[in-house]
Amino acid sequence: MNKLPKVSEDFPGWYQAVVREAGLAENGPARGSQIIKPFGWSIWESIWRELDDRFKATGHENMMFPLLMPTKLFEAEAQHVEGFAPEVAVVTHGGGEELEEPLAIRPTSEALIWDAYSRWIQSYRDLPLLYNQWCNVLRWEKRSRLFLRTSEFWWQEGHTAHASRQEAWEETLRMLEVYREVIEDVCAIPVYRGRKSPSERFAGADETTTLEGMMRDTKALQCCTSHFLGQNFSKAYNVQYLNPDGEQEYAWGTSWGLSTRSVGAVIMTHGDDKGLRLPYQVAPTQVVIVPIYRSDDERSTVMERADNVRNALVKDGIRVKIDDRDQFRPGYKFAEWELKGIPIRIELGPRDVGNDELIVADRVTSEKSAVSTSVAVSGMADVLKSSWQALYDDATRFRDSNTYDFSTFEEIAEGIESKGGFWRGIWCGDETCETKVTEATKATIRTVPLDKEDPHGSCIVCGKAGEETAIWGRAY
Ligand SMILES: [Zn+2]
């Protein structure tokens, strides 16, 4: 293992090193592509499971749509194609011949799915359609960063159709709340929840909602988005239904997505100078047991106890690993599991067996104590929960201490440069003012509140009456 750069001194270098040394991912042979290795994929699988259970519980079903679509199909929704055109890859050859009709590789599947919905939806009785798919998508990227920005990535994309505006808006917010549960209550990432300004909206949406987290370098990361599509796609793909009064109406739509970027968010929200710190719900291993011994006799005594402890913990549904690799010394193993962010380490030597004790070390708090075996085993679920709480509290403290309220343009211009972080200030809602701040600071509006509220003040740029309070920040 190589030493990591310090979080506070070289965050990009730290990120690259931790992704490599912890065995999370590496670059693929094609530029902009990534290989997610088993340890990284396992974190994603846990996030996937947490989401999928909640999608099903809120009435959604999974399906599978194709990777390719005729480019003509993609071009039907004007804003959508304009927004995505620079990122779309097109297949022009197949089977050694030039194709008569070029095929677009999906950057997202609204076009494919609304085209199908035009055949599936005839009557109000066909609504709502509550579908989701787990898949990879491709968006051509010039610069790439593992998990955060790569041409190909995995995600889920939900696509729903409804009979009314109200129902579609409620669905948009319901799925944002599902995301909030997984990002905050599972991944321990405190987020600001809100809408995007019009300039940051999804191409083809009437409203985009988002969750924004703060990474350890105080930059923002958009964790997911849930879009209210209005009738834009139903009109572009002619999805009409007969209402109970026998009249034709266009359906209302939503789409929502969360990707493997969330693994990057977990790494960058919680990591420290020793490496990752993982919330137990997404940790591939929750408890690692490191047996310590010198002789064969000691080995068999310690291993027997280690097996018993493991079996008892597994019975409680805890993911446990015994690190019995003989070629490494305990100190090396400790450092490796710390690098990988495993929440709890149990150290177990012959003396501990004699005392009927375990040494329990918490990765998040760095606390280490001797605990009687039975108490350690029966209390492990609670220990994991308090480790999660410490992680969440730490991330919340960090975010709050790097969030500032401001009231003049000069304050944010100077403050973002010297301190970074999130800046909360009143905005008139005008894109000219938004652009002015972005050009001066490289910060963008990350969110405005979900419900418009009169902030009782004036725009920090133009001085006109404020429409809402915007949170600004530099972002990934
Ligand atoms: Zn203004």
Side-chain angles (χ1 to χ4, degrees), residues 427-430 433 459-464:
W427 177 47
C428 64
D430 194 332
C433 293
C459 174
I460 50 102
V461 183
C462 68
K464 279 193 296 205

Side-chain angles (χ1 to χ4, degrees), residues 17 28 165 175 206 209 215 247 340 373 389 409 445 447 461-462 470 472-473 475:
R165 164 190 284 273
M175 301 326 285
D206 278 357
T209 66
M215 305 298 104
E247 293 153 354
K340 287 179 175 260
T373 309
Q389 192 65 49
F409 181 74
I445 293 182
T447 67
V461 183
C462 68
W472 300 79

Side-chain angles (χ1 to χ4, degrees), residues 30-144:
R31 202 172 68 163
S33 66
Q34 68 180 337
I35 297 167
I36 300 182
K37 298 166 88 175
F39 191 71
W41 191 254
S42 173
I43 297 172
W44 169 240
E45 276 181 332
S46 294
I47 295 173
W48 176 329
R49 247 191 314 274
E50 294 280 353
L51 284 171
D52 203 56
D53 287 349
R54 287 170 173 82
F55 294 161
K56 306 244 166 82
T58 45
H60 302 83
E61 291 174 286
N62 286 331
M63 58 181 182
M64 179 268 176
F65 265 74
L67 176 73
L68 298 173
M69 68 184 118
T71 47
K72 272 207 300 287
L73 187 69
F74 182 67
E75 285 158 4
E77 215 286 334
Q79 270 193 319
H80 190 59
V81 67
E82 196 191 312
F84 278 99
E87 302 178 354
V88 175
V90 177
V91 178
T92 56
H93 289 72
E97 284 172 25
E98 190 170 341
L99 303 178
E100 271 176 39
E101 187 173 37
L103 299 171
I105 301 176
R106 62 179 170 212
T108 178
S109 302
E110 276 78 3
L112 274 161
I113 287 172
W114 282 89
D115 175 58
Y117 283 0
S118 71
R119 297 186 297 279
W120 297 354
I121 297 171
Q122 310 296 335
S123 148
Y124 70 94
R125 291 190 190 88
D126 299 328
L127 294 170
L129 291 189
L130 305 174
Y131 297 148
N132 174 67
Q133 77 167 337
W134 293 93
C135 66
N136 52 351
V137 289
L138 193 74
R139 296 179 185 177
W140 215 250
E141 289 284 355
K142 296 208 172 68
R143 289 182 310 149
S144 76

Side-chain angles (χ1 to χ4, degrees), residues 327-393:
Q327 72 270 36
F328 297 120
R329 302 187 59 78
Y332 178 93
K333 294 178 182 178
F334 296 172
E336 183 176 329
W337 296 114
E338 280 174 353
L339 168 70
K340 287 179 175 260
I342 301 312
I344 300 296
R345 178 181 77 232
I346 291 177
E347 302 167 16
L348 181 61
R351 194 144 44 112
D352 305 312
V353 176
N355 295 340
D356 198 13
E357 281 180 350
L358 304 171
I359 309 294
V360 178
D362 184 322
R363 172 66 181 89
V364 176
T365 61
S366 298
E367 279 163 19
K368 191 163 144 170
S369 51
V371 186
S372 85
T373 309
S374 65
V375 170
V377 169
S378 63
M380 191 52 75
D382 288 334
V383 168
L384 287 169
K385 277 185 201 143
S386 64
S387 157
W388 179 94
Q389 192 65 49
L391 210 50
Y392 182 76
D393 292 346

Side-chain angles (χ1 to χ4, degrees), residues 178-206:
V178 162
Y179 288 151
R180 191 210 58 74
E181 281 180 25
V182 173
I183 295 294
E184 280 196 336
D185 304 347
V186 174
C187 297
I189 302 171
V191 289
Y192 286 119
R193 192 179 72 126
R195 285 174 296 127
K196 286 289 184 190
S197 63
S199 72
E200 298 271 325
R201 258 180 215 151
F202 176 73
D206 278 357

